[in-house]
C-alpha cells in the first residue's frame, strides 16, 4: 500500500521517530564494524601456524581493556537514551490543557494554540472518528486540516486495537475503558495510509483507514457539511437515486447514518461517495460495492455487517442503492 512506511516521514512526529531509528542504526553499524574488525584481525594475527607450538603470553585483568570496553557501551547507551527520553516526553505531551487545569496557569510555550481533537475508536474491524468540538461522526476516513496539531484520543469498543499512520505518526494502543492520546501534524496535503497494528481478530489485517489531509479552508467546508449536511448535497440527484434512498432507509439506516439520520452502529455514510476504498480495503467501484453488500463475511471474515441477498435487496434495488450511495458527498 502506498506510503505505509515509517521510513518516508511526512510530518514532525514521524520525522522525530525516523531520526531515532537512524541514530540507533548508526550506533549499531559503528559497533558491528569495530567488533568485526577486531574479530577478523584476531583470527588472522593469532591463528595456529605450522610448527609453532608455543603458547602465547597469558594475561589476566588488563585494567585498560576492562575500562575501555565498559566505558564505550555506557557512552553509546547514553547517546541512545538521551534523545529517546527527550522525544518520548515531547510526544507524550499533546500540548492540550487537561480538564480542570486553568489554562491561564499554563506556561505560554506549553499551550498549543491551534489544535483539533479527534476521538478515534477501534471496532472489529473499522475505525470511527468523532470530532467532539465540531459535532461530527465520520467513518474510515480521517479528514484533517494541514499544518494543525491533531490530538487523537484513542478508544476501543470491543478488543484492543492499535492506531498507526506510519508516514505521520505511530503507534499507540486503543484499549477498551482507557483513553490514550497521541498527536501529529501533516504539513502536506494528501492521503496517508493507516492501519490497525494490534492483532484484534480474523480480519485484523484488513482494518485499514485513510488520513485525508486537506487545506484548512477545504476542511472547514467539509466539517460544516458533515456536521449539518447541506440539503442540496444529501438530496438524491435523480429518480434512481431517490429509489436508492428508499432502499437505504429500509435496509441500511439501522446501522449507518447519513448526517444525523440513522444509527452510529456501523460507519457513518454522510460522505461515502468520496471514499477511495470500501470497507477499508476494497477498491471503490460499483462491482466491489455490490459484492460487499451481498456477502461481507466472505470478504472480511468476522465483521458485523449482515449479508443482503436478492430476496432482501433485488438487483434493481441494488443498482439504485449504489447510485444513491455514490452520490453521498460533502465537498464540491
Ligand atoms: Cu484492530
Amino acid at each position: 500500500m502506498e506510503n505505509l512506511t515509517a521510513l518516508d516521514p511526512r510530518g514532525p512526529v514521524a520525522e522525530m521517530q525516523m531520526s531515532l531509528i537512524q541514530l540507533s542504526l548508526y550506533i549499531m553499524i559503528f559497533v558491528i564494524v569495530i567488533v568485526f574488525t577486531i574479530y577478523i584481525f584476531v583470527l588472522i594475527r593469532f591463528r595456529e601456524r605450522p610448527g609453532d607450538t608455543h603458547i602465547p603470553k597469558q594475561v589476566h585483568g588488563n585494567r585498560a581493556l576492562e575500562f575501555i570496553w565498559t566505558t564505550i557501551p555506557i557512552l553509546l547507551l547514553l547517546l541512545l537514551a538521551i534523545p529517546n527520553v527527550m522525544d518520548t516526553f515531547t510526544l507524550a505531551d499533546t500540548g492540550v490543557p487537561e480538564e480542570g487545569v486553568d489554562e491561564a496557569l499554563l506556561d505560554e510555550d506549553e499551550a498549543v494554540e491551534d489544535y483539533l481533537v479527534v476521538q478515534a475508536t477501534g471496532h472489529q474491524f473499522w475505525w470511527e472518528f468523532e470530532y467532539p468540538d465540531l459535532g461530527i461522526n465520520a467513518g474510515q476516513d480521517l479528514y484533517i486540516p494541514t499544518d494543525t496539531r491533531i490530538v487523537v484520543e484513542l478508544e476501543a469498543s470491543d478488543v484492543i486495537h492499535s492506531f498507526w499512520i506510519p508516514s505521520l505518526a505511530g503507534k499507540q494502543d486503543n484499549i477498551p475503558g482507557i483513553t490514550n492520546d497521541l498527536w501529529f501534524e501533516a504539513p502536506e496535503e494528501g492521503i496517508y495510509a493507516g492501519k490497525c497494528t494490534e492483532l484484534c481478530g480474523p480480519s485484523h489485517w484488513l482494518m485499514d483507514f485513510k488520513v485525508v489531509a486537506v487545506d484548512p479552508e477545504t476542511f472547514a467546508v467539509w466539517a460544516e457539511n458533515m456536521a449539518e449536511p447541506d440539503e442540496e448535497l444529501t438530496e438524491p440527484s435523480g429518480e434512481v437515486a431517490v429509489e436508492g434512498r428508499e432502499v437505504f432507509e429500509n435496509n441500511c439506516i439501522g446501522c449507518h447514518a447519513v448526517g444525523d439520520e440513522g444509527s452510529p452502529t456501523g460507519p457513518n455514510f454522510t460522505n461515502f461517495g468520496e471514499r477511495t476504498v470500501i470497507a477499508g480495503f476494497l477498491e471503490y467501484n460499483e462491482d466491489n460495492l455490490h459484492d460487499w453488500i451481498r456477502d461481507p463475511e466472505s470478504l472480511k471474515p468476522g465483521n458485523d455487517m449482515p449479508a443482503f441477498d436478492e430476496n432482501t435487496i433485488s438487483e434493481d434495488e441494488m443498482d439504485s442503492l449504489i447510485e444513491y450511495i455514490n452520490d453521498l458527498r460533502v465537498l464540491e
Side-chain angles (χ1 to χ4, degrees):
M1 191 192 283
E2 210 190 329
N3 68 31
L4 193 72
T5 172
L7 303 180
D8 181 19
R10 293 304 171 93
V13 170
E15 275 161 16
M16 211 185 289
Q17 293 172 335
M18 180 64 184
S19 72
L20 293 179
I21 295 174
Q22 281 171 328
L23 176 67
S24 2
L25 189 70
Y26 295 150
I27 292 178
M28 284 188 276
I29 291 173
F30 173 75
V31 171
I32 286 174
V33 168
I34 302 263
V35 169
F36 272 80
T37 308
I38 296 174
Y39 177 69
I40 291 164
F41 170 77
V42 168
L43 273 186
I44 295 168
R45 174 74 181 74
F46 298 105
R47 75 181 194 276
E48 192 184 17
R49 291 181 171 79
D52 180 7
T53 52
H54 101 281
I55 291 172
K57 190 184 157 202
Q58 300 298 294
V59 285
H60 173 73
N62 186 319
R63 288 247 174 101
L65 271 181
E66 295 276 359
F67 183 78
I68 290 169
W69 65 49
T70 309
T71 312
I72 292 179
I74 290 176
L75 291 178
L76 290 181
L77 284 177
L78 279 176
L79 197 62
L80 198 56
I82 291 169
N84 260 287
V85 172
M86 283 171 63
D87 285 357
T88 300
F89 278 98
T90 309
L91 292 177
D93 180 12
T94 59
V96 174
E98 273 176 48
E99 259 171 68
V101 178
D102 188 348
E103 273 189 59
L105 294 176
L106 279 177
D107 192 335
E108 272 199 13
D109 301 338
E110 272 178 36
V112 178
E113 289 265 306
D114 222 9
Y115 62 84
L116 174 70
V117 176
V118 184
Q119 278 169 0
T121 307
H123 303 275
Q124 282 171 319
F125 302 92
W126 62 281
W127 293 91
E128 181 180 12
F129 301 114
E130 282 170 282
Y131 301 66
D133 302 330
L134 304 174
I136 294 171
N137 182 300
Q140 298 292 53
D141 286 351
L142 171 57
Y143 275 74
I144 57 163
T146 51
D147 280 325
T148 307
R149 179 174 292 220
I150 312 299
V151 175
V152 191
E153 296 177 352
L154 302 162
E155 276 150 33
S157 70
D158 35 41
V159 297
I160 300 177
H161 302 274
S162 195
F163 182 88
W164 190 30
I165 321 152
S167 57
L168 292 177
K171 38 179 141 169
Q172 188 103 246
D173 278 1
N174 298 62
I175 303 173
I178 292 174
T179 304
N180 282 331
D181 51 29
L182 62 77
W183 66 271
F184 68 90
E185 284 171 33
E188 295 162 42
E189 286 180 45
I191 296 181
Y192 302 89
K195 232 179 166 22
C196 175
T197 172
E198 172 71 47
L199 182 58
C200 59
S203 288
H204 154 67
W205 65 295
L206 298 172
M207 196 170 154
D208 298 353
F209 63 98
K210 300 252 186 271
V211 175
V212 184
V214 292
D215 65 88
E217 293 77 40
T218 310
F219 180 78
V221 176
W222 178 86
E224 199 183 317
N225 288 334
M226 282 296 282
E228 237 171 283
D230 188 331
E231 285 258 312
E232 273 185 23
L233 288 164
T234 51
E235 273 303 297
S237 54
E239 213 175 293
V240 184
V242 173
E243 279 166 34
R245 180 162 71 176
E246 221 165 276
V247 180
F248 185 86
E249 282 167 357
N250 291 335
N251 296 282
C252 317
I253 212 160
C255 291
H256 299 284
V258 173
D260 49 13
E261 268 174 64
S263 152
T265 310
N268 185 290
F269 265 39
T270 312
N271 61 337
F272 194 92
E274 278 156 358
R275 293 215 199 145
T276 50
V277 287
I278 302 159
F281 69 102
L282 286 168
E283 193 197 329
Y284 192 113
N285 60 47
E286 299 195 352
D287 286 343
N288 280 343
L289 199 47
H290 171 278
D291 294 349
W292 171 256
I293 298 169
R294 282 277 183 253
D295 188 9
E297 178 64 22
S298 72
L299 295 166
K300 201 177 192 180
N303 86 89
D304 276 342
M305 168 136 166
F308 293 86
D309 62 15
E310 283 178 47
N311 298 322
T312 333
I313 299 177
S314 69
E315 278 302 304
D316 282 350
E317 288 174 325
M318 184 68 95
D319 289 344
S320 49
L321 173 63
I322 289 173
E323 177 143 342
Y324 169 64
I325 294 175
N326 276 337
D327 262 5
L328 292 170
R329 285 158 194 274
V330 300
L331 287 174
E332 96 219 17

